[in-house]
Amino acid sequence: MSRWFWLGTSLLALACAEESVEPVASTPELSPLGIYAPLRPAAALDEASDALLRDARKREARFLEAANPGFMLRQSSPSEAAVRAGTYEADALFQFGAQIFHHSFTEAEGLGGADVPFPTRFQRGLRGGAETTSCASCHLRGGAAGAGDPSGNSFWGGDGVRPATGLSRNARALTGAGFIELLAKEMSAELTGLRESCRVQAQASASTVTLALSAKGVSFGQLGCRADGTLDTSQVVGVDATLELRPFGWKGVHRTIREAVEDELRVHLGLQSSFLVQELADIPALIGPNGGDDPDGDGVSDEISEGQLDVLTSYLALSEVPTVELPQTSLVPVSLWPEGRQLFEQIGCASCHVPTLELASSRYRLSSRSGQAELSFDLAVEGAQPKPERSESGALRVQLFSDLKRHDLGSKLAEPRADRGVDGALFMTPPLWELARTRPYLHDGRAPTLHDAIVAHEGEASAARDQYVALGEAGQGPMRVFLVSLTRQRRYAVP
Ligand code: HEC
Ligand code: HEC
């Protein structure tokens, strides 16, 4: 009873605040609408009733939006200044981010552009398109910020008309993104540290030094350092010559969540951040031909603010990590899972899909690009449940089943051309930690089953694939039982 009363009064308060507020430079404090699952869910039964309550709030919010267009987005968009001043707890930033992630953008809010009007289903060169109206309409399978359905594949870099001219890509699940970014940063730091000592050794010995590159136990080939300070990166593998990992995207093209989010807004929704409008001003192929503060010529400027990027980034950075759920009934023989887990190591899958990477520091930092304070979270404390467990040494054991490295998987999976400097045959090892929820598989969603995905591996993965095939049904069954135990924690939701 009191909950429903609260719902009515709090939404009413929001609506009133909305009417009486003048649009001023320092945005007044906002409060989240509380319509998406919280960082820390309550016990099961409470969670079920919370799900109903959130659904009811969502309906009310829809009425408010109908009465007052733009309400939802304004209500979700704190200013960067307020975010950076520490006005909001992690929970509130997470909720604001969830609200924007699920928001259905309108043309009045900047959706699309004169050169890529909504809907532009097939992307046009590097400008992208405006394929749909929300992040959630592509990232929808298996839970919030989930994977993509193949019917929503994106056709990247095509001619805007014929899908076959674009590179077909299936949306990726976004869970655990904060931990992935931090792991990649620690690995990059390890690699660049090695580069420095290689340089120093080469200069001290006045000769060429060759060093094995590895980070968190993952090998990235060899680096040559000459006495004159120049480098030979021809034997570096799986990472750019800069030795900076880019863990996001099927091809491994983005270093950080913010970079990925800002690009996704631009290429899938035609929403341009004020930052990119400045940054890419002289590259109309990326930002649109019109110039000024409205390069996509849709009559809307300042489409995406730094505050909005802060909350969207926080939402994904703070997101839960997937879990392992073992078979619960006696119908599945208990030996299958451990057998499959062991085979996964034995036949070489784990050489790329490295089961666990250990993270030393869970401090996530988001610098400001306008000179304001850094935003920072301890993901191990403030992140959503579930979180990775700690090892005895205190490091966080992130069980993602990836080496965060690019590999050549042969000509059948290869795309016809390079993408942003990454060869057509190279793909980042995708984390497998959510497999039960992310069907279909592979970069273009071509594999309806796990079996199809595994037998499609060639190139560097040929030996492991051949061993999987040689296992026959007796070994393949247990392997698949193990793989589908990788899933997301169950959540109550009202459809
Ligand atoms: C039209 C479908 C579509 C929409 C809309 C969309 N995405 Fe994506 N998203 C994708 C696809 C496809 C990929 C993989 C792209 C690639 O690797 O080339 C992806 C990848 C990502 C990644 C990188 C994930 C990783 O682990 O590699 C992030 C982060 C992301 N999207 C966030 C967002 C956000 C935030 C929005 C809303 C602003 C959004 N996406 C809207 C299809 C979409
Ligand atoms: C040489 C590195 C390498 C090895 C070895 C390897 N994989 Fe992969 N795996 C990849 C890459 C890279 C992709 C992404 C390919 C693509 O999308 O086209 C992938 C994709 C997958 C996918 C699909 C994931 C998704 O989200 O769509 C599954 C499942 C998978 N691998 C399982 C396995 C199994 C099981 C083995 C052992 C038989 C194995 N892999 C061996 C690198 C490897």
Side-chain angles (χ1 to χ4, degrees):
M1 176 70 183
S2 60
R3 278 186 171 164
W4 295 97
F5 175 74
W6 183 86
L7 166 69
T9 49
S10 62
L11 280 175
L12 203 67
L14 290 175
C16 296
E18 169 75 9
E19 287 211 330
S20 57
V21 165
E22 292 288 310
V24 284
S26 62
T27 315
E29 286 183 28
L30 303 172
S31 15
L33 299 172
I35 52 186
Y36 296 103
L39 281 168
R40 269 163 286 277
L45 272 182
D46 287 343
E47 206 196 323
S49 62
D50 277 354
L52 285 172
L53 186 64
R54 285 198 304 274
D55 185 61
R57 285 195 201 125
K58 198 188 287 180
R59 281 165 202 243
E60 288 307 304
R62 246 179 247 139
F63 287 125
L64 287 172
E65 173 74 22
N68 190 351
F71 166 79
M72 288 286 271
L73 189 59
R74 282 196 297 280
Q75 191 56 40
S76 312
S77 305
S79 68
E80 188 196 19
V83 171
R84 303 290 174 155
T87 311
Y88 304 103
E89 300 283 325
D91 279 280
L93 297 178
F94 181 83
Q95 290 290 324
F96 286 134
Q99 286 170 202
I100 299 187
F101 192 89
H102 292 83
H103 177 64
S104 195
F105 281 87
T106 64
E107 284 162 316
E109 291 162 348
L111 178 70
D115 53 336
V116 286
F118 171 76
T120 295
R121 179 66 187 88
F122 305 119
Q123 300 205 345
R124 240 173 239 170
L126 303 177
R127 269 292 276 120
E131 301 146 280
T132 179
T133 58
S134 74
C135 308
S137 64
C138 287
H139 295 279
L140 79 178
R141 283 181 85 103
D149 189 87
S151 64
N153 268 18
S154 187
F155 298 86
W156 168 239
D159 66 4
V161 184
R162 294 167 300 164
T165 60
L167 303 174
S168 178
R169 300 274 170 79
N170 191 228
R172 287 162 68 95
L174 308 177
T175 26
F179 291 99
I180 293 178
E181 180 175 332
L182 292 185
L183 283 168
K185 271 204 182 116
E186 287 186 0
M187 290 168 80
S188 301
E190 216 177 314
L191 294 181
T192 49
L194 287 170
R195 179 176 62 199
E196 274 328 291
S197 66
C198 176
R199 267 203 180 117
V200 170
Q201 281 176 45
Q203 273 161 0
S205 65
S207 62
T208 299
V209 169
T210 306
L211 203 88
L213 281 176
S214 93
K216 295 196 190 290
V218 175
S219 164
F220 289 89
Q222 290 189 334
L223 180 69
C225 303
R226 302 186 194 96
D228 64 3
T230 59
L231 300 173
D232 174 5
T233 55
S234 61
Q235 306 298 313
V236 172
V237 293
V239 62
D240 294 345
T242 58
L243 305 185
E244 220 179 353
L245 271 68
R246 294 176 175 270
F248 298 112
W250 288 103
K251 305 289 285 181
V253 292
H254 299 299
R255 282 169 305 180
T256 63
I257 298 172
R258 180 167 62 190
E259 247 177 56
V261 165
E262 203 167 23
D263 206 47
E264 293 286 298
L265 285 159
R266 184 182 70 82
V267 301
H268 295 305
L269 303 176
L271 290 166
Q272 316 192 310
S273 68
S274 307
F275 179 82
L276 284 187
V277 165
Q278 300 258 317
E279 196 75 0
L280 304 176
D282 51 357
I283 319 181
L286 286 172
I287 201 78
N290 275 49
D293 60 3
D294 180 23
D296 64 359
D298 60 3
V300 184
S301 51
D302 296 324
E303 294 178 350
I304 295 291
S305 69
E306 291 297 283
Q308 289 170 323
L309 284 169
D310 281 352
V311 297
L312 267 174
T313 304
S314 302
Y315 171 57
L316 297 179
L318 290 162
S319 72
E320 73 200 73
V321 300
T323 61
V324 179
E325 197 166 278
L326 301 186
Q328 298 291 318
T329 69
S330 55
L331 298 174
V332 186
V334 283
S335 62
L336 290 189
W337 189 91
E339 209 182 304
R341 176 71 182 80
Q342 202 180 356
L343 283 170
F344 185 81
E345 302 267 349
Q346 255 170 31
I347 68 171
C349 309
S351 67
C352 297
H353 297 286
V354 176
T356 304
L357 291 177
E358 292 205 346
L359 182 66
S361 167
S362 52
R363 175 63 51 189
Y364 186 88
R365 296 171 195 283
L366 191 61
S367 61
S368 164
R369 301 184 292 195
S370 66
Q372 306 203 31
E374 179 180 84
L375 177 63
S376 125
F377 306 110
D378 184 346
L379 298 186
V381 177
E382 295 164 278
Q385 301 278 19
K387 301 173 211 181
E389 285 163 13
R390 284 198 189 276
S391 68
E392 277 168 20
S393 67
L396 283 166
R397 294 170 48 80
V398 187
Q399 305 201 31
L400 79 168
F401 296 90
S402 169
D403 54 4
L404 301 183
K405 178 179 163 185
R406 299 187 196 115
H407 294 276
D408 181 337
L409 283 210
S411 58
K412 285 206 200 113
L413 280 177
E415 293 181 321
R417 58 175 181 267
D419 175 10
R420 289 162 279 188
V422 182
D423 186 85
L426 291 178
F427 293 97
M428 168 72 42
T429 308
L432 301 184
W433 57 1
E434 198 180 329
L435 277 184
R437 303 286 192 92
T438 61
R439 261 204 286 183
Y441 304 109
L442 300 174
H443 64 275
D444 51 4
R446 72 173 70 179
T449 67
L450 283 170
H451 179 84
D452 298 329
I454 300 168
V455 298
H457 283 54
E458 288 186 355
E460 288 178 50
S462 297
R465 192 272 324 268
D466 291 348
Q467 290 203 56
Y468 170 82
V469 172
L471 290 175
E473 257 315 296
Q476 291 172 8
M479 280 267 302
R480 293 190 301 259
V481 167
F482 158 63
L483 291 172
V484 296
S485 73
L486 307 177
T487 188
R488 255 172 104 161
Q489 194 164 78
R490 250 164 280 170
R491 282 278 150 80
Y492 291 92
V494 178

